């Protein structure tokens, strides 16, 4: 199985293409604009109008600046930190100077001089850069690695214990199948012990999920049916390890085992635009108990997604009277084969 070394982006200069970074920048600058409007307005009654007027000036500047920073992100990352930060400040100040000079020339705004606007833009940019640098230090690679290792360690005992149980159930009744199952189990062990800082390909993660379900099928027999629905996706897409297996394990344990007649675990993987959608659904027997049992795995995966992707990935849950579905949405900028 191939793997790719990766840790969540913790460069002191932000990833301006990341949705979480853009959202924080928008919220931060608009927060400063709210405070500025409150200071400039003669009273609370005129505060909202002052903010709307200020936002009409700030938003175009902010959006243009974020677009340019996203375009030159890789170049900025190759520079020394302080030089990169200085260029960001220079870009913000230059844009403010040019835009305010243009607006004054067409009589759209004369409340603030271009020089003062440039200075204010650089101060706001410095505030944001300071915040992102502190955040990057708080989420250093070593801390991220330790956190991911701890999260993976929570998954391993359940994973290995249930896999061993599946093999033990075969040893006396079907020794030949038990031998084949042990070979699959060794592959599962290697996957479980993988370095949490390594990404794996989507193809490898699917293969691991299929191995696990085959092992469970030996134990449960015809009670376990599996329906794989894999659309045209880029199979080499790097994703965090052990995304599928814990959810497949929960689907079997909480959805199939309690049902006397078993049921079907449905796995759907599709690429929609720039997002990879992974959905795992199973029948339910006692919805409250099922949801409570799934909490640990779901919370674990949600936290790992946040470490890897910030706000660009999400995990959703949909429950019904007889169905439970978990969806993982990951950023995917590679085209399907």
């Amino acid at each position: 199985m191939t793997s790719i070394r990766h840790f969540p982006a913790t460069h002191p200069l932000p990833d301006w293409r990341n949705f979480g970074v853009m959202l924080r920048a928008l919220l931060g600058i608009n927060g400063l604009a709210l405070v500025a409007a409150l200071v400039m307005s003669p009273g609370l009654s005129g505060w909202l109008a002052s903010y709307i007027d200020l936002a009409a000036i700030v938003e175009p500047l902010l959006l243009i600046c974020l677009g340019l920073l996203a375009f030159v992100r890789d170049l900025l990352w190759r520079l020394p930190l302080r030089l990169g930060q200085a260029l960001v400040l220079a870009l913000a100040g230059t844009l403010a100077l040019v835009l305010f000079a243009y607006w004054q020339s067409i009589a759209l705004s004369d409340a603030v001089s271009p020089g003062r606007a440039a200075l204010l833009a650089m101060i706001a940019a410095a505030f944001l850069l300071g915040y992102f640098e502190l955040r990057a230090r708080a989420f250093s690679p070593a801390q991220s690695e330790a956190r991911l290792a701890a999260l993976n360690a929570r998954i391993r005992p359940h994973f290995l214990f249930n896999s061993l149980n599946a093999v033990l159930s075969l040893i006396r009744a079907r020794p030949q199948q038990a031998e084949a199952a042990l070979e699959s189990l060794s592959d599962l062990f290697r996957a479980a012990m993988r370095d949490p800082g390594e990404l794996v390909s989507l193809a490898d993660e699917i293969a691991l999920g299929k191995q696990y379900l085959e092992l469970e099928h030996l134990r449960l027999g015809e009670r376990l049916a599996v329906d794989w629905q894999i659309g045209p996706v880029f199979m080499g897409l790097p994703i965090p390890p052990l995304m599928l297996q814990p959810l497949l394990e929960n689907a079997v344990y909480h959805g199939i085992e309690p049902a006397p007649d078993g049921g079907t675990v449905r796995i759907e993987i599709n690429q929609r635009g720039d997002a990879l959608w992974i959905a795992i659904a199973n029948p339910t027997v006692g919805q409250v108990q099922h949801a409570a049992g799934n909490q640990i795995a779901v919370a674990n995966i949600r936290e790992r997604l946040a470490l890897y992707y910030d706000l660009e990935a999400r995990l959703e849950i949909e429950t019904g009277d007889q169905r439970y579905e978990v969806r993982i949405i990951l950023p995917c900028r590679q085209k399907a084969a």
Side-chain angles (χ1 to χ4, degrees), residues 12-14 16 25 28-29 32 61-62 65-66 69 84-94 96 117-133:
L13 278 176
W16 301 105
I29 296 300
L32 290 176
L61 172 62
L62 177 58
C65 192
L66 286 176
L69 287 173
Q85 290 176 330
L87 288 177
V88 173
L89 294 178
L91 176 63
T94 302
L119 179 61
L120 291 173
M122 293 175 70
I123 292 173
F127 169 80
L128 277 182
L129 288 173
Y131 162 76
F132 283 121
E133 183 175 353

Side-chain angles (χ1 to χ4, degrees), residues 34-89:
L34 279 170
V35 174
L38 186 61
V39 171
M40 292 188 302
S41 62
L44 289 178
S45 58
W47 164 72
L48 183 58
S50 297
Y51 170 69
I52 293 173
D53 292 340
L54 190 58
I57 298 173
V58 170
E59 297 302 330
L61 172 62
L62 177 58
L63 293 175
I64 294 171
C65 192
L66 286 176
L68 291 174
L69 287 173
F71 182 74
V72 299
R73 181 202 65 179
D74 294 341
L75 174 63
L76 291 173
W77 277 6
R78 286 194 291 267
L79 299 175
L81 172 61
R82 299 308 173 195
L83 177 58
Q85 290 176 330
L87 288 177
V88 173
L89 294 178

Side-chain angles (χ1 to χ4, degrees), residues 152-233:
N152 272 22
R154 292 181 188 176
I155 288 178
R156 288 171 185 161
H158 300 283
F159 177 20
L160 302 181
F161 177 76
N162 288 340
S163 300
L164 280 171
N165 272 349
V167 175
L168 289 173
S169 66
L170 299 171
I171 287 178
R172 291 185 181 179
R174 290 172 282 175
Q176 290 184 341
Q177 286 184 322
E179 183 178 350
L182 282 172
E183 293 178 1
S184 295
L185 188 58
S186 66
D187 292 335
L188 296 175
F189 274 21
R190 280 194 292 271
M193 301 307 292
R194 181 183 287 118
D195 186 338
E198 293 180 350
L199 294 179
V200 299
S201 69
L202 176 61
D204 286 345
E205 188 69 4
I206 290 173
L208 178 68
K210 288 182 175 180
Q211 274 190 304
Y212 177 79
L213 289 173
E214 287 171 5
L215 201 58
E216 290 287 20
H217 188 268
L218 291 174
R219 181 170 65 91
L220 297 171
E222 298 304 317
R223 292 177 59 209
L224 172 61
V226 180
D227 180 17
W228 287 91
Q229 298 289 330
I230 302 177
V233 297

